[in-house]
Amino acid sequence: MSAAEPLLAKQRRTVQVEDSIALDQSRQGIHVPMPSSTQTRKRTRFVDREAAYHQSYGVLNIKRRVPTRASFYLRADDWFHTILSYPTWRLFLLLAALYTLVVVLWTGLFYAANESCDLRIRSFLDAFMLSIETMATIGYGVPDSYWNECIAGPFVLLSLCFVSLLLDALCIGVVFARMSRGTTRATTIVFSDKAVLRCIRNEWYMMFQVGELKKHQLLESHVRMYAVQHSEAAVNPPDSNAGSVFKPFPSTIAPSSSSESESDDADGHDVPLRSASSTSALLEDQTKFVPVYFQTHLMRVQHPNDELGGMLLLAMPNVVVHKIDQWSPLFPQHLLQHGQQPSPSTEFLFPNSVLRSCDLAVGAREPKDEATSQPPTIEADDILEHMASKNTEVLCVIEGVDSSTAFTVQARHSYTAEDMEPHHTFAPCVFKSTDGGCVIDYHRFHDLITDQGLENHLPQTVL
């Protein structure tokens, strides 16, 4: 049993295949991800997974505590977008309340001008109905439409018409912006339910699949990836001149296997307790590590190349690839062997730029210390254990422009350690029809294939 299995036993999903179709596919090397029926402990996700087809609504699990006074004035300065962010029921209730308020205000003006202009209004209800008729131009119920040349008539009617036009423009703008917002357009951009970890030429890669259900594709589609994980800050003692050093990854000091232990924090997460190793006891004794939660780290994308914009053609399913090198937040940093002077050309050191090992292989940058500082060999269990211990969640963002409304659309999805499938790849879901056309079968979009299943999986022709 590997070291990662006990740590992930509480978090990995248990897949139970009961029908004959799933059993036949498993014999062919096809892995069909299915929702878990029982879990010992439900993990709180940073991005929801509540939509159909194993998708996400893109809602971030963030609660903000803002001073009431500051929140009021800041939201008042941006009142239009504040209204747009309201729930639908609250938005329509607010618009109905505004219309009713305007009608009631001008009802009082009509009632006040009743005697001087001889409008023959008998009650407040008559004045209320007259205000609605004037505002909606659905008829007029006064004896003289010229108000008997009353001086109050032009002021009351002109002001009501002006306010009514502004209110109509506001309602049309809010409803149109609400109905055409990019969050609803993004629901047809689908992500694979699972991400896979593949070892290709002794290098580890994280991959996920993305596609578009609609015929009309997004323009200028591109992808970005982030890792949200718990980090540490190394705080030196007050008499030290070094101050505080923020470490976005786990401490580069390798803990001793005999003296390392674990404990549970108030939220039930596993928190590793550090102890000094024999090679770095002096540095460990002078440095204190404090937890820093939910830190965001950029993840470089190798395919499509993020240096070329990470462009995607969503008309076809795309496999997005991230290489897990020593600059990746998914790389177990505690396995690196550090000298007295760590180099940003061989590992990530905050706040330096995030590099890629593939840039050196293609000659995009000059070699410096890579020849003498090779990363250690890692396995899938090391990656999963590192992700689980740091509560890592990989946030994937697809952005593009809708051709109908020219609005920017953003789709979000996330993967945790329990969403990773090592030594798998995605089953083919694109086939050739009998007439030579392209057929995308989204029934197989989430299916995974093992390495042995990939060799036996032959291209098919469908009707």
Side-chain angles (χ1 to χ4, degrees):
M1 181 178 294
S2 64
E5 291 178 355
L7 185 59
L8 295 176
K10 297 181 181 180
Q11 298 180 350
R12 298 292 297 235
R13 294 183 177 180
T14 57
V15 180
Q16 299 178 351
V17 182
E18 297 179 354
D19 52 21
S20 59
I21 298 177
L23 289 174
D24 292 339
Q25 289 179 334
S26 63
R27 296 190 186 101
Q28 299 175 3
I30 301 178
H31 174 69
V32 182
M34 299 184 66
S36 173
S37 58
T38 59
Q39 288 183 336
T40 57
R41 184 179 66 185
K42 184 177 180 181
R43 181 187 186 278
T44 301
R45 302 185 66 100
F46 185 72
V47 182
D48 72 286
R49 277 288 193 96
E50 303 297 332
Y53 199 61
H54 309 289
Q55 298 305 300
S56 168
Y57 289 115
V59 179
L60 303 180
N61 186 15
I62 300 177
K63 298 179 181 179
R64 295 173 175 85
R65 300 177 61 184
V66 184
T68 305
R69 186 179 182 87
S71 176
F72 174 78
Y73 285 107
L74 293 176
R75 291 178 181 271
D77 292 338
D78 189 24
W79 60 269
F80 182 76
H81 292 93
T82 300
I83 293 176
L84 286 181
S85 63
Y86 284 169
T88 303
W89 65 270
R90 185 184 299 179
L91 178 63
F92 282 98
L93 184 63
L94 176 61
L95 295 179
L98 288 177
Y99 265 103
T100 304
L101 178 62
V102 171
V103 170
V104 170
L105 290 177
W106 265 262
T107 297
L109 295 179
F110 282 120
Y111 197 80
N114 179 30
E115 296 183 0
S116 60
C117 298
D118 193 21
L119 300 180
R120 300 182 184 178
I121 296 176
R122 299 183 301 272
S123 62
F124 184 84
L125 181 61
D126 291 346
F128 185 82
M129 298 301 296
L130 180 60
S131 179
I132 296 177
E133 293 173 358
T134 305
M135 188 173 180
T137 64
I138 57 176
Y140 222 57
V142 296
D144 186 2
S145 59
Y146 300 103
W147 286 43
N148 298 318
E149 298 183 355
C150 176
I151 193 63
F155 170 76
V156 175
L157 294 180
L158 182 61
S159 59
L160 179 57
C161 292
F162 180 73
V163 174
S164 177
L165 288 175
L166 290 180
L167 193 57
D168 290 341
L170 174 64
C171 292
I172 293 174
V174 169
V175 172
F176 174 77
R178 180 67 180 225
M179 296 180 62
S180 60
R181 57 181 176 169
T183 53
T184 55
R185 173 63 179 86
T187 55
T188 56
I189 301 175
V190 294
F191 296 79
S192 57
D193 179 43
K194 298 286 187 178
V196 299
L197 295 176
R198 295 191 62 190
C199 184
I200 304 175
R201 293 183 293 274
N202 297 323
E203 301 284 353
W204 282 96
Y205 299 86
M206 173 194 167
M207 305 179 185
F208 67 92
Q209 191 167 225
V210 62
E212 168 66 279
L213 298 181
K214 285 188 175 181
K215 181 186 299 184
H216 303 285
Q217 308 301 315
L218 294 181
L219 306 178
E220 299 293 326
S221 302
H222 55 277
V223 59
R224 298 196 310 272
M225 297 177 64
Y226 304 92
V228 181
Q229 61 184 192
H230 299 335
S231 305
E232 289 179 335
V235 182
N236 292 317
D239 56 349
S240 174
N241 296 326
S244 299
V245 179
F246 174 73
K247 293 183 177 296
F249 293 122
S251 174
T252 57
I253 302 171
S256 175
S257 59
S258 61
S259 58
E260 183 179 3
S261 59
E262 292 183 355
S263 65
D264 291 340
D265 62 1
D267 297 331
H269 301 297
D270 294 331
V271 180
L273 299 179
R274 300 191 171 272
S275 61
S277 64
S278 58
T279 59
S280 58
L282 180 60
L283 181 60
E284 185 78 9
D285 292 339
Q286 295 180 353
T287 306
K288 295 182 180 179
F289 296 93
V290 296
V292 182
Y293 300 113
F294 297 102
Q295 297 300 298
T296 304
H297 310 291
L298 176 66
M299 298 176 61
R300 300 295 301 270
V301 180
Q302 184 159 326
H303 179 78
N305 193 346
D306 56 9
E307 291 191 347
L308 301 178
M311 307 307 294
L312 296 170
L313 179 62
L314 289 180
M316 302 291 293
N318 292 260
V319 175
V320 180
V321 180
H322 165 75
K323 185 177 181 179
I324 305 177
D325 52 22
Q326 55 266 43
W327 291 275
S328 170
L330 306 186
F331 191 91
Q333 295 290 314
H334 66 275
L335 298 179
L336 292 176
Q337 299 296 329
H338 299 277
Q340 295 297 328
Q341 296 294 333
S343 174
S345 63
T346 59
E347 62 183 284
F348 176 75
L349 296 175
F350 181 84
N352 295 324
S353 300
V354 181
L355 305 179
R356 300 184 304 179
S357 60
C358 65
D359 295 333
L360 177 66
V362 299
R365 60 186 176 90
E366 294 294 331
K368 188 176 180 182
D369 300 323
E370 288 84 352
T372 59
S373 179
Q374 295 296 331
T377 302
I378 61 174
E379 298 296 336
D381 290 340
D382 298 325
I383 300 173
L384 296 176
E385 181 182 7
H386 170 71
M387 293 183 62
S389 63
K390 293 303 172 183
N391 205 34
T392 303
E393 188 162 345
V394 178
L395 175 61
C396 308
V397 179
I398 304 292
E399 285 185 343
V401 178
D402 181 53
S403 59
S404 301
T405 61
F407 285 174
T408 300
V409 177
Q410 184 179 97
R412 303 171 187 163
H413 202 72
S414 71
Y415 299 96
T416 62
E418 61 222 50
D419 300 323
M420 301 288 182
E421 291 291 342
H423 307 291
H424 282 75
T425 187
F426 296 101
C429 61
V430 180
F431 306 98
K432 184 176 70 174
S433 62
T434 54
D435 59 355
C438 176
V439 177
I440 304 176
D441 186 4
Y442 279 99
H443 293 89
R444 307 185 183 186
F445 183 78
H446 297 296
D447 293 349
L448 303 179
I449 298 179
T450 61
D451 295 337
Q452 294 77 11
L454 182 60
E455 297 176 357
N456 301 327
H457 198 87
L458 299 177
Q460 301 181 15
T461 301
V462 299
L463 297 178

